[in-house]
Amino acid sequence: MDAIGNLRHLVEQGFQGAPVHNDVGDLDALMYVRHWPAGVVDVVIVYSHEEAFAYRASGIAPDASLRNFPARVHWRQAGHPDSVTTAVLGLDEP
């Protein structure tokens, strides 16, 4: 499956997507977030057709900012959006 299909599956599995804009209002990335009980969060950030980053972390309040938080990262992967989104879809529940 390709990244576009994988992103659809992320949404089907409870991820919420949102655009991320830079200071002048240009689109910087697409961010997808899924909160689990007990403060665990999965995050996928797609920067371009060639670059994506994903991680699973704990110690995050559901209403806290995902940019500056004291958390423990349990898993992360960077690379092409196809491989990153495929890896996220393969994660077991925390």
Coordinates of all heavy atoms in Angstrom, one line a residue:
M1 N 0.8 -1.2 0.0 CA 0.0 0.0 0.0 C 0.9 1.2 0.0 O 2.0 1.2 0.5 CB -0.9 0.0 1.2 CG -1.8 1.2 1.3 SD -3.4 1.0 2.1 CE -4.1 -0.4 1.4
D2 N 0.4 2.3 -0.5 CA 1.1 3.6 -0.6 C 0.8 4.5 0.6 O -0.1 4.2 1.4 CB 0.9 4.3 -1.9 CG -0.5 4.8 -2.1 OD1 -1.3 4.6 -1.2 OD2 -0.8 5.3 -3.1
A3 N 1.5 5.6 0.8 CA 1.3 6.5 1.9 C -0.1 7.0 2.0 O -0.7 7.1 3.0 CB 2.3 7.6 1.9
I4 N -0.7 7.4 0.8 CA -2.1 7.9 0.8 C -3.1 6.9 1.4 O -3.9 7.2 2.2 CB -2.5 8.4 -0.6 CG1 -1.5 9.5 -1.1 CG2 -3.9 8.8 -0.6 CD1 -1.6 10.8 -0.3
G5 N -3.0 5.7 0.9 CA -3.8 4.6 1.4 C -3.6 4.4 2.9 O -4.5 4.2 3.7
N6 N -2.3 4.4 3.3 CA -2.0 4.2 4.7 C -2.5 5.3 5.6 O -3.0 5.1 6.7 CB -0.5 4.1 4.9 CG 0.1 2.8 4.4 OD1 -0.6 1.8 4.2 ND2 1.4 2.8 4.3
L7 N -2.5 6.6 5.1 CA -3.0 7.7 5.8 C -4.5 7.5 6.0 O -5.1 7.8 7.1 CB -2.7 9.0 5.2 CG -1.3 9.4 5.2 CD1 -1.0 10.7 4.3 CD2 -0.7 9.6 6.6
R8 N -5.2 7.0 5.0 CA -6.7 6.7 5.2 C -6.9 5.7 6.3 O -7.8 5.8 7.1 CB -7.2 6.2 3.9 CG -7.4 7.3 2.8 CD -8.1 6.8 1.6 NE -8.1 7.8 0.6 CZ -7.5 7.7 -0.6 NH1 -6.9 6.6 -0.9 NH2 -7.5 8.7 -1.4
H9 N -6.0 4.7 6.3 CA -6.1 3.6 7.3 C -5.9 4.2 8.7 O -6.5 3.8 9.7 CB -5.2 2.4 7.0 CG -5.7 1.5 5.9 ND1 -6.9 0.8 6.0 CD2 -5.2 1.3 4.7 CE1 -7.1 0.2 4.9 NE2 -6.1 0.4 4.1
L10 N -4.9 5.1 8.8 CA -4.6 5.7 10.1 C -5.9 6.4 10.6 O -6.2 6.3 11.8 CB -3.5 6.8 10.0 CG -2.1 6.2 9.7 CD1 -1.1 7.4 9.5 CD2 -1.6 5.3 10.9
V11 N -6.6 7.1 9.8 CA -7.8 7.8 10.2 C -8.9 6.8 10.6 O -9.6 7.0 11.6 CB -8.3 8.8 9.1 CG1 -9.7 9.3 9.4 CG2 -7.3 9.9 8.8
E12 N -9.0 5.7 9.8 CA -9.9 4.6 10.2 C -9.6 4.0 11.5 O -10.5 3.5 12.2 CB -9.9 3.6 9.1 CG -10.5 4.0 7.8 CD -10.2 3.0 6.7 OE1 -9.6 2.0 6.9 OE2 -10.7 3.3 5.5
Q13 N -8.3 4.0 11.9 CA -7.9 3.5 13.2 C -7.9 4.5 14.3 O -7.3 4.2 15.4 CB -6.5 2.8 13.1 CG -6.6 1.6 12.2 CD -5.2 0.8 12.2 OE1 -4.3 1.2 12.9 NE2 -5.2 -0.2 11.4
G14 N -8.5 5.7 14.1 CA -8.6 6.6 15.2 C -7.7 7.8 15.2 O -7.7 8.6 16.1
F15 N -6.8 7.9 14.2 CA -5.9 9.1 14.2 C -6.7 10.3 13.7 O -7.6 10.1 12.9 CB -4.8 8.8 13.1 CG -3.7 8.0 13.7 CD1 -3.7 6.6 13.7 CD2 -2.5 8.6 14.1 CE1 -2.7 5.9 14.2 CE2 -1.4 7.9 14.5 CZ -1.5 6.5 14.6
Q16 N -6.4 11.4 14.2 CA -7.0 12.7 13.8 C -5.9 13.5 13.0 O -4.8 13.6 13.5 CB -7.5 13.5 14.9 CG -8.7 12.8 15.6 CD -9.2 13.6 16.7 OE1 -8.6 14.5 17.2 NE2 -10.4 13.3 17.2
G17 N -6.2 13.9 11.8 CA -5.3 14.7 11.0 C -5.5 16.2 11.1 O -6.6 16.6 11.2
A18 N -4.4 16.9 11.0 CA -4.5 18.4 10.9 C -3.3 18.9 10.2 O -2.2 18.4 10.2 CB -4.4 18.9 12.3
P19 N -3.5 20.0 9.4 CA -2.3 20.6 8.8 C -1.5 21.4 9.8 O -2.0 21.9 10.8 CB -3.0 21.6 7.8 CG -4.4 21.9 8.4 CD -4.8 20.7 9.1
V20 N -0.2 21.5 9.5 CA 0.7 22.3 10.3 C 1.2 23.4 9.4 O 1.8 23.1 8.4 CB 1.8 21.4 10.9 CG1 2.8 22.3 11.7 CG2 1.3 20.3 11.7
H21 N 1.0 24.7 9.8 CA 1.5 25.8 9.0 C 2.7 26.5 9.7 O 2.8 26.5 10.9 CB 0.3 26.8 8.9 CG -0.8 26.3 8.1 ND1 -1.9 25.7 8.7 CD2 -1.0 26.2 6.8 CE1 -2.7 25.3 7.8 NE2 -2.3 25.6 6.6
N22 N 3.5 27.1 8.9 CA 4.7 27.8 9.4 C 4.2 29.2 9.8 O 3.0 29.5 9.7 CB 5.8 27.8 8.4 CG 5.5 28.6 7.1 OD1 4.6 29.4 7.1 ND2 6.3 28.3 6.1
D23 N 5.2 30.0 10.2 CA 4.8 31.4 10.7 C 4.2 32.3 9.7 O 3.5 33.3 10.1 CB 6.1 32.1 11.3 CG 6.6 31.4 12.5 OD1 5.8 30.7 13.2 OD2 7.8 31.5 12.8
V24 N 4.4 32.1 8.4 CA 3.8 32.9 7.4 C 2.5 32.3 6.8 O 2.0 32.8 5.9 CB 4.8 33.3 6.3 CG1 5.9 34.2 6.8 CG2 5.3 32.1 5.6
G25 N 2.1 31.2 7.4 CA 0.9 30.5 6.9 C 1.0 29.5 5.8 O 0.0 28.9 5.4
D26 N 2.2 29.2 5.4 CA 2.4 28.1 4.4 C 2.3 26.8 5.0 O 2.7 26.6 6.2 CB 3.7 28.3 3.7 CG 3.8 29.6 2.9 OD1 2.8 30.1 2.4 OD2 5.0 30.0 2.8
L27 N 1.8 25.8 4.3 CA 1.7 24.4 4.8 C 3.1 23.9 5.0 O 3.9 23.8 4.1 CB 0.9 23.6 3.8 CG 0.7 22.1 4.3 CD1 -0.2 22.0 5.5 CD2 0.0 21.3 3.1
D28 N 3.4 23.4 6.2 CA 4.7 22.8 6.5 C 4.6 21.3 6.5 O 5.5 20.6 6.1 CB 5.1 23.3 7.9 CG 6.3 24.2 7.9 OD1 6.8 24.5 6.8 OD2 6.7 24.6 9.0
A29 N 3.5 20.7 7.0 CA 3.4 19.3 7.2 C 1.9 18.9 7.5 O 1.1 19.8 7.7 CB 4.2 18.8 8.4
L30 N 1.7 17.6 7.4 CA 0.4 17.1 7.9 C 0.7 16.2 9.1 O 1.7 15.4 9.1 CB -0.2 16.2 6.8 CG -0.6 16.9 5.5 CD1 -1.1 15.8 4.5 CD2 -1.6 17.9 5.7
M31 N 0.0 16.4 10.2 CA 0.2 15.7 11.4 C -1.0 14.9 11.7 O -2.2 15.3 11.6 CB 0.4 16.7 12.6 CG 0.7 15.9 13.9 SD 0.9 17.0 15.3 CE 2.5 17.7 14.9
Y32 N -0.8 13.6 12.1 CA -1.8 12.7 12.5 C -1.5 12.2 13.9 O -0.4 11.8 14.2 CB -1.9 11.5 11.5 CG -2.3 11.9 10.1 CD1 -1.4 12.4 9.2 CD2 -3.7 11.7 9.8 CE1 -1.9 12.8 8.0 CE2 -4.1 12.1 8.5 CZ -3.2 12.6 7.6 OH -3.6 13.0 6.4
V33 N -2.5 12.2 14.8 CA -2.3 11.9 16.2 C -3.4 11.0 16.7 O -4.6 11.1 16.4 CB -2.4 13.2 17.1 CG1 -2.2 12.9 18.5 CG2 -1.3 14.2 16.6
R34 N -3.0 10.0 17.5 CA -3.9 9.1 18.1 C -3.5 9.0 19.6 O -2.4 8.6 19.9 CB -3.9 7.7 17.5 CG -4.7 6.6 18.2 CD -4.8 5.3 17.5 NE -3.5 4.8 17.3 CZ -3.2 3.7 16.6 NH1 -4.2 3.0 16.0 NH2 -2.0 3.2 16.4
H35 N -4.5 9.3 20.5 CA -4.3 9.2 21.9 C -4.8 7.9 22.4 O -5.9 7.4 22.1 CB -5.0 10.3 22.6 CG -4.4 11.7 22.4 ND1 -3.3 12.1 23.1 CD2 -4.7 12.6 21.5 CE1 -3.0 13.3 22.7 NE2 -3.8 13.7 21.7
W36 N -4.0 7.2 23.2 CA -4.4 6.0 23.9 C -4.6 6.3 25.4 O -4.2 7.3 25.9 CB -3.2 5.0 23.8 CG -2.9 4.5 22.4 CD1 -2.0 5.0 21.6 CD2 -3.6 3.4 21.7 NE1 -2.0 4.3 20.4 CE2 -3.0 3.3 20.5 CE3 -4.6 2.5 22.0 CZ2 -3.3 2.4 19.5 CZ3 -5.0 1.6 21.1 CH2 -4.4 1.5 19.9
P37 N -5.3 5.4 26.1 CA -5.4 5.6 27.5 C -4.1 5.7 28.2 O -3.1 5.3 27.7 CB -6.2 4.3 28.0 CG -6.9 3.9 26.8 CD -6.0 4.2 25.6
A38 N -4.1 6.3 29.4 CA -2.9 6.4 30.2 C -1.8 7.3 29.6 O -0.6 7.1 29.9 CB -2.3 5.0 30.6
G39 N -2.2 8.2 28.8 CA -1.2 9.2 28.3 C -0.2 8.7 27.2 O 0.8 9.4 27.0
V40 N -0.6 7.7 26.5 CA 0.3 7.2 25.3 C -0.3 7.9 24.1 O -1.5 8.0 23.9 CB 0.3 5.7 25.2 CG1 1.0 5.2 24.0 CG2 0.9 5.1 26.5
V41 N 0.6 8.3 23.2 CA 0.2 9.0 22.0 C 1.1 8.5 20.8 O 2.2 8.2 21.0 CB 0.3 10.5 22.1 CG1 1.7 11.0 22.2 CG2 -0.4 11.2 20.9
D42 N 0.4 8.2 19.7 CA 1.1 7.9 18.4 C 1.0 9.2 17.5 O -0.1 9.7 17.4 CB 0.5 6.7 17.7 CG 0.6 5.4 18.4 OD1 1.6 5.3 19.2 OD2 -0.2 4.5 18.3
V43 N 2.1 9.6 16.9 CA 2.1 10.8 16.1 C 2.8 10.4 14.8 O 3.9 9.8 14.8 CB 2.9 11.9 16.8 CG1 2.9 13.1 15.9 CG2 2.2 12.3 18.1
V44 N 2.2 10.9 13.7 CA 2.8 10.7 12.3 C 2.8 12.1 11.8 O 1.8 12.8 11.7 CB 2.0 9.8 11.4 CG1 2.6 9.8 10.0 CG2 1.8 8.4 12.0
I45 N 4.0 12.6 11.3 CA 4.2 13.9 10.6 C 4.7 13.6 9.2 O 5.8 13.1 9.1 CB 5.1 14.8 11.4 CG1 4.7 14.9 12.9 CG2 5.2 16.1 10.8 CD1 5.7 15.5 13.8
V46 N 4.0 14.1 8.2 CA 4.4 13.9 6.9 C 4.8 15.3 6.4 O 4.0 16.2 6.3 CB 3.3 13.4 6.0 CG1 3.7 13.3 4.5 CG2 2.8 12.0 6.5
Y47 N 6.1 15.4 6.1 CA 6.7 16.7 5.7 C 6.6 16.9 4.2 O 6.5 18.0 3.7 CB 8.1 16.8 6.1 CG 8.3 16.9 7.6 CD1 8.7 15.8 8.3 CD2 8.0 18.0 8.3 CE1 8.9 15.8 9.7 CE2 8.1 18.1 9.7 CZ 8.6 17.0 10.4 OH 8.7 17.0 11.8
S48 N 6.7 15.8 3.4 CA 6.7 15.9 2.0 C 6.4 14.5 1.4 O 6.2 13.6 2.1 CB 8.1 16.4 1.4 OG 9.1 15.4 1.6
H49 N 6.5 14.4 0.1 CA 6.3 13.1 -0.6 C 7.5 12.2 -0.3 O 7.4 11.0 -0.6 CB 6.1 13.3 -2.1 CG 4.9 14.0 -2.5 ND1 3.7 13.4 -2.5 CD2 4.7 15.3 -2.9 CE1 2.7 14.3 -2.9 NE2 3.3 15.4 -3.1
E50 N 8.5 12.7 0.2 CA 9.8 12.0 0.5 C 10.2 11.8 1.9 O 11.1 11.1 2.3 CB 10.9 12.6 -0.3 CG 10.7 12.7 -1.8 CD 10.6 11.3 -2.4 OE1 11.4 10.4 -2.0 OE2 9.8 11.1 -3.4
E51 N 9.5 12.6 2.8 CA 10.0 12.6 4.2 C 8.8 12.6 5.2 O 7.9 13.4 5.1 CB 10.8 13.9 4.5 CG 11.4 14.0 5.8 CD 12.1 15.3 6.0 OE1 12.0 16.3 5.2 OE2 12.8 15.5 7.1
A52 N 8.9 11.7 6.2 CA 7.9 11.5 7.3 C 8.6 11.1 8.5 O 9.8 10.6 8.5 CB 6.9 10.5 6.9
F53 N 8.0 11.3 9.6 CA 8.5 10.9 10.9 C 7.3 10.5 11.8 O 6.2 11.0 11.7 CB 9.2 12.1 11.6 CG 9.8 11.9 12.9 CD1 10.9 11.1 13.1 CD2 9.2 12.4 14.1 CE1 11.5 10.8 14.3 CE2 9.7 12.1 15.3 CZ 10.9 11.4 15.5
A54 N 7.6 9.5 12.6 CA 6.5 9.0 13.5 C 7.1 8.5 14.8 O 8.3 8.2 14.9 CB 5.8 7.8 12.8
Y55 N 6.3 8.6 15.9 CA 6.8 8.2 17.2 C 5.6 7.8 18.0 O 4.5 8.2 17.8 CB 7.6 9.2 17.9 CG 6.9 10.5 18.2 CD1 6.3 10.7 19.4 CD2 6.9 11.6 17.3 CE1 5.6 11.9 19.7 CE2 6.3 12.8 17.6 CZ 5.6 12.9 18.8 OH 5.0 14.1 19.1
R56 N 5.9 7.0 19.1 CA 5.0 6.6 20.1 C 5.6 7.1 21.4 O 6.8 6.8 21.7 CB 4.7 5.2 20.2 CG 3.9 4.8 21.4 CD 3.5 3.3 21.4 NE 2.3 3.2 20.5 CZ 1.9 2.0 20.1 NH1 2.4 0.9 20.6 NH2 0.8 1.9 19.3
A57 N 4.9 7.8 22.2 CA 5.4 8.4 23.5 C 4.4 8.3 24.6 O 3.2 8.1 24.3 CB 5.9 9.8 23.3
S58 N 4.9 8.3 25.8 CA 3.9 8.3 27.0 C 4.3 9.5 27.9 O 5.3 10.1 27.7 CB 4.0 7.0 27.7 OG 5.3 6.8 28.3
G59 N 3.3 9.7 28.8 CA 3.5 10.8 29.7 C 3.0 12.1 29.2 O 3.4 13.2 29.5
I60 N 2.0 12.0 28.3 CA 1.4 13.2 27.6 C 0.0 13.3 27.9 O -0.8 12.4 27.8 CB 1.6 13.1 26.1 CG1 3.1 12.9 25.7 CG2 1.0 14.3 25.4 CD1 3.3 12.5 24.3
A61 N -0.4 14.5 28.4 CA -1.8 14.8 28.6 C -2.5 15.0 27.3 O -2.0 15.6 26.4 CB -2.0 16.0 29.5
P62 N -3.8 14.5 27.1 CA -4.4 14.6 25.8 C -4.6 16.0 25.3 O -4.7 16.3 24.1 CB -5.8 14.0 26.0 CG -5.6 13.0 27.2 CD -4.5 13.7 28.0
D63 N -4.6 17.0 26.2 CA -4.8 18.4 25.8 C -3.5 19.2 25.8 O -3.5 20.4 25.6 CB -5.8 19.1 26.7 CG -5.4 19.1 28.2 OD1 -4.5 18.3 28.5 OD2 -6.1 19.8 29.0
A64 N -2.4 18.5 26.0 CA -1.1 19.2 26.0 C -0.6 19.4 24.6 O -0.9 18.6 23.7 CB -0.1 18.4 26.8
S65 N 0.3 20.3 24.4 CA 1.0 20.6 23.1 C 1.9 19.4 22.8 O 2.6 18.9 23.7 CB 1.8 21.9 23.1 OG 2.6 21.9 22.0
L66 N 1.9 19.0 21.5 CA 2.8 17.9 21.2 C 4.2 18.4 20.8 O 5.1 17.6 20.5 CB 2.2 17.1 20.0 CG 0.9 16.4 20.3 CD1 0.4 15.7 19.1 CD2 1.2 15.3 21.4
R67 N 4.5 19.7 20.9 CA 5.8 20.2 20.5 C 6.7 20.2 21.6 O 7.9 20.0 21.5 CB 5.6 21.6 19.9 CG 4.9 21.5 18.6 CD 4.8 22.9 18.0 NE 4.0 22.8 16.7 CZ 4.2 23.5 15.7 NH1 5.1 24.4 15.7 NH2 3.4 23.4 14.6
N68 N 6.3 20.6 22.8 CA 7.1 20.8 24.0 C 6.5 20.0 25.2 O 5.6 20.6 25.8 CB 7.4 22.2 24.4 CG 8.0 23.0 23.3 OD1 9.0 22.5 22.7 ND2 7.5 24.1 22.9
F69 N 6.9 18.8 25.4 CA 6.3 18.0 26.4 C 7.4 17.1 27.1 O 8.3 16.7 26.4 CB 5.1 17.2 25.9 CG 5.5 16.3 24.8 CD1 6.0 15.0 25.0 CD2 5.4 16.7 23.5 CE1 6.4 14.2 24.0 CE2 5.7 15.9 22.4 CZ 6.2 14.6 22.7
P70 N 7.2 16.9 28.4 CA 8.1 15.9 29.0 C 7.6 14.5 28.8 O 6.6 14.1 29.4 CB 8.1 16.3 30.5 CG 6.8 16.9 30.6 CD 6.4 17.6 29.3
A71 N 8.1 13.8 27.9 CA 7.6 12.4 27.6 C 8.7 11.4 27.4 O 9.9 11.8 27.2 CB 6.7 12.5 26.3
R72 N 8.3 10.2 27.4 CA 9.2 9.1 27.1 C 8.9 8.5 25.8 O 7.7 8.1 25.5 CB 9.1 8.0 28.2 CG 10.0 6.8 28.0 CD 9.9 5.9 29.2 NE 10.8 4.7 28.9 CZ 10.3 3.5 28.8 NH1 9.1 3.2 29.1 NH2 11.1 2.5 28.5
V73 N 9.8 8.5 24.9 CA 9.6 8.0 23.5 C 9.9 6.5 23.6 O 10.9 6.0 24.0 CB 10.5 8.7 22.5 CG1 10.3 8.0 21.1 CG2 10.2 10.2 22.4
H74 N 8.9 5.7 23.1 CA 9.0 4.2 23.1 C 9.4 3.7 21.7 O 10.0 2.6 21.7 CB 7.6 3.6 23.5 CG 7.2 4.1 24.9 ND1 7.6 3.5 26.0 CD2 6.3 5.0 25.2 CE1 7.0 4.1 27.0 NE2 6.2 5.0 26.6
W75 N 9.0 4.4 20.7 CA 9.3 3.9 19.3 C 9.3 5.1 18.4 O 8.6 6.1 18.7 CB 8.2 3.0 18.9 CG 8.2 2.6 17.5 CD1 8.9 1.5 17.0 CD2 7.6 3.2 16.4 NE1 8.7 1.4 15.6 CE2 7.9 2.5 15.2 CE3 6.8 4.4 16.2 CZ2 7.5 2.8 14.0 CZ3 6.4 4.7 14.9 CH2 6.7 3.9 13.8
R76 N 10.2 5.1 17.4 CA 10.2 6.2 16.4 C 10.8 5.6 15.1 O 11.5 4.7 15.1 CB 11.0 7.4 16.9 CG 12.4 7.1 17.1 CD 13.2 8.4 17.5 NE 14.5 8.1 17.9 CZ 15.0 8.2 19.1 NH1 14.3 8.7 20.0 NH2 16.3 7.9 19.3
Q77 N 10.4 6.3 14.0 CA 10.9 5.9 12.7 C 10.8 7.2 11.8 O 9.9 7.9 11.9 CB 10.1 4.8 12.1 CG 10.7 4.4 10.8 CD 10.1 3.0 10.3 OE1 9.7 2.2 11.1 NE2 10.2 2.8 9.0
A78 N 11.8 7.3 11.0 CA 11.9 8.4 10.0 C 12.2 7.8 8.7 O 12.8 6.8 8.6 CB 12.9 9.5 10.4
G79 N 11.7 8.5 7.6 CA 12.0 8.0 6.3 C 10.9 8.3 5.3 O 10.2 9.3 5.5
H80 N 10.8 7.5 4.3 CA 9.8 7.8 3.2 C 8.4 7.5 3.8 O 8.2 6.6 4.6 CB 10.1 6.8 2.1 CG 9.3 7.2 0.8 ND1 8.0 6.8 0.7 CD2 9.6 7.9 -0.2 CE1 7.5 7.3 -0.5 NE2 8.5 7.9 -1.1
P81 N 7.4 8.3 3.4 CA 6.1 8.2 4.0 C 5.5 6.8 3.9 O 4.8 6.4 4.7 CB 5.3 9.2 3.3 CG 6.2 10.3 2.9 CD 7.5 9.5 2.6
D82 N 5.8 6.1 2.8 CA 5.3 4.7 2.6 C 5.7 3.8 3.7 O 4.9 3.2 4.4 CB 5.7 4.1 1.3 CG 5.1 4.8 0.1 OD1 4.1 5.6 0.2 OD2 5.5 4.5 -1.1
S83 N 7.0 3.8 4.0 CA 7.6 2.9 5.0 C 7.2 3.4 6.4 O 6.9 2.5 7.3 CB 9.1 2.8 4.9 OG 9.7 4.0 5.1
V84 N 7.2 4.7 6.7 CA 6.8 5.2 8.0 C 5.4 4.9 8.4 O 5.1 4.4 9.4 CB 7.1 6.7 8.1 CG1 6.6 7.3 9.4 CG2 8.6 6.9 8.0
T85 N 4.5 5.1 7.4 CA 3.1 4.9 7.7 C 2.8 3.4 7.8 O 2.0 3.0 8.6 CB 2.1 5.6 6.7 OG1 2.5 5.2 5.4 CG2 2.2 7.1 6.8
T86 N 3.5 2.6 7.0 CA 3.3 1.1 7.1 C 3.8 0.6 8.5 O 3.1 -0.2 9.1 CB 4.1 0.4 6.0 OG1 3.6 0.8 4.7 CG2 4.0 -1.1 6.1
A87 N 4.9 1.2 9.0 CA 5.4 0.8 10.3 C 4.4 1.2 11.4 O 4.2 0.4 12.3 CB 6.7 1.4 10.6
V88 N 3.8 2.3 11.3 CA 2.8 2.8 12.3 C 1.6 1.8 12.3 O 1.1 1.4 13.4 CB 2.4 4.2 12.1 CG1 1.3 4.6 13.1 CG2 3.6 5.2 12.3
L89 N 1.2 1.5 11.2 CA 0.0 0.6 11.1 C 0.3 -0.8 11.6 O -0.6 -1.5 12.0 CB -0.5 0.5 9.6 CG -1.1 1.7 9.1 CD1 -1.3 1.6 7.5 CD2 -2.5 2.0 9.7
G90 N 1.6 -1.2 11.7 CA 1.9 -2.5 12.2 C 2.2 -2.5 13.7 O 2.4 -3.6 14.3
L91 N 2.1 -1.3 14.4 CA 2.3 -1.3 15.8 C 1.2 -2.0 16.6 O 0.0 -1.8 16.2 CB 2.4 0.2 16.3 CG 3.6 1.0 15.9 CD1 3.5 2.4 16.4 CD2 4.9 0.4 16.6
D92 N 1.6 -2.7 17.6 CA 0.6 -3.3 18.5 C 0.0 -2.2 19.4 O 0.7 -1.1 19.7 CB 1.2 -4.4 19.4 CG 1.6 -5.6 18.6 OD1 0.9 -5.9 17.6 OD2 2.5 -6.3 19.0
E93 N -1.1 -2.4 20.0 CA -1.7 -1.5 21.0 C -0.7 -1.4 22.2 O -0.1 -2.4 22.5 CB -3.0 -1.9 21.5 CG -4.1 -1.8 20.5 CD -5.5 -2.1 21.0 OE1 -5.7 -2.0 22.3 OE2 -6.4 -2.4 20.2
P94 N -0.6 -0.2 22.8 CA 0.4 -0.1 23.9 C -0.2 -0.8 25.1 O -1.3 -1.0 25.3 CB 0.5 1.4 24.1 CG -0.7 2.0 23.5 CD -1.2 1.1 22.4

